[in-house]
Amino acid sequence: QVQLVESGGGLVQAGGSLRLSCAASGRTFSSYIMGWFRQAPGKEREFVAAISWSGANTYYGDSVKGRFTISRDNAKNTVYLQMNSLKPEDTAVYYCAADLDPAKIIRTYEYDYWGQGTQVTVSS
């Protein structure tokens, strides 16, 4: 099993940047694919970004391509989401997720392990 704790959320003005971190417990972090998802009030949870176990492959949702970057440091058991050029529509609770099955990498709701979420609010 793996436990996930997100941090780095907050309030930022439109056009600004934030970096989210997700710290994972356990000694097999490098075996997991990692994903970031978000959910705004009244909306379905949305895929944001994902990264393969090695970090060699990354995937992005259409709404964040070119603005967000996912990365991981397996030595630190941490995955990051660098968010640039933030827009008010990026406002949501952001969740980190992990799974051992690479086939699930962009499948919202199918990851086995989830963090508690961190709030990101972008003001206009």
Side-chain angles (χ1 to χ4, degrees):
Q1 284 199 346
V2 62
Q3 293 184 325
L4 306 171
V5 179
E6 303 98 334
S7 61
L11 174 64
V12 63
Q13 287 189 332
S17 298
L18 280 175
R19 187 175 82 154
L20 304 183
S21 299
C22 174
S25 64
R27 290 176 286 181
T28 59
F29 175 74
S30 60
S31 300
Y32 289 83
I33 59 169
M34 300 297 297
W36 285 98
F37 300 82
R38 67 187 183 186
Q39 189 163 17
K43 293 190 176 181
E44 291 289 318
R45 190 165 295 186
E46 175 188 16
F47 168 72
V48 175
I51 190 166
S52 61
W53 64 269
S54 68
N57 300 104
T58 57
Y59 307 83
Y60 296 93
D62 289 341
S63 61
V64 307
K65 281 180 183 176
R67 300 188 298 122
F68 291 11
T69 303
I70 188 171
S71 61
R72 67 189 297 162
D73 185 337
N74 286 342
K76 295 183 178 179
N77 282 14
T78 302
V79 63
Y80 305 98
L81 185 69
Q82 178 66 44
M83 305 187 294
N84 298 329
S85 302
L86 282 161
K87 305 175 181 180
E89 51 264 45
D90 293 319
T91 295
V93 177
Y94 283 71
Y95 297 92
C96 171
D99 203 282
L100 288 171
D101 184 357
K104 297 181 183 179
I105 195 160
I106 61 170
R107 296 179 189 172
T108 308
Y109 296 110
E110 292 195 23
Y111 281 57
D112 283 340
Y113 304 102
W114 292 83
Q116 82 288 351
T118 186
Q119 177 70 47
V120 171
T121 302
V122 184
S123 62
S124 57

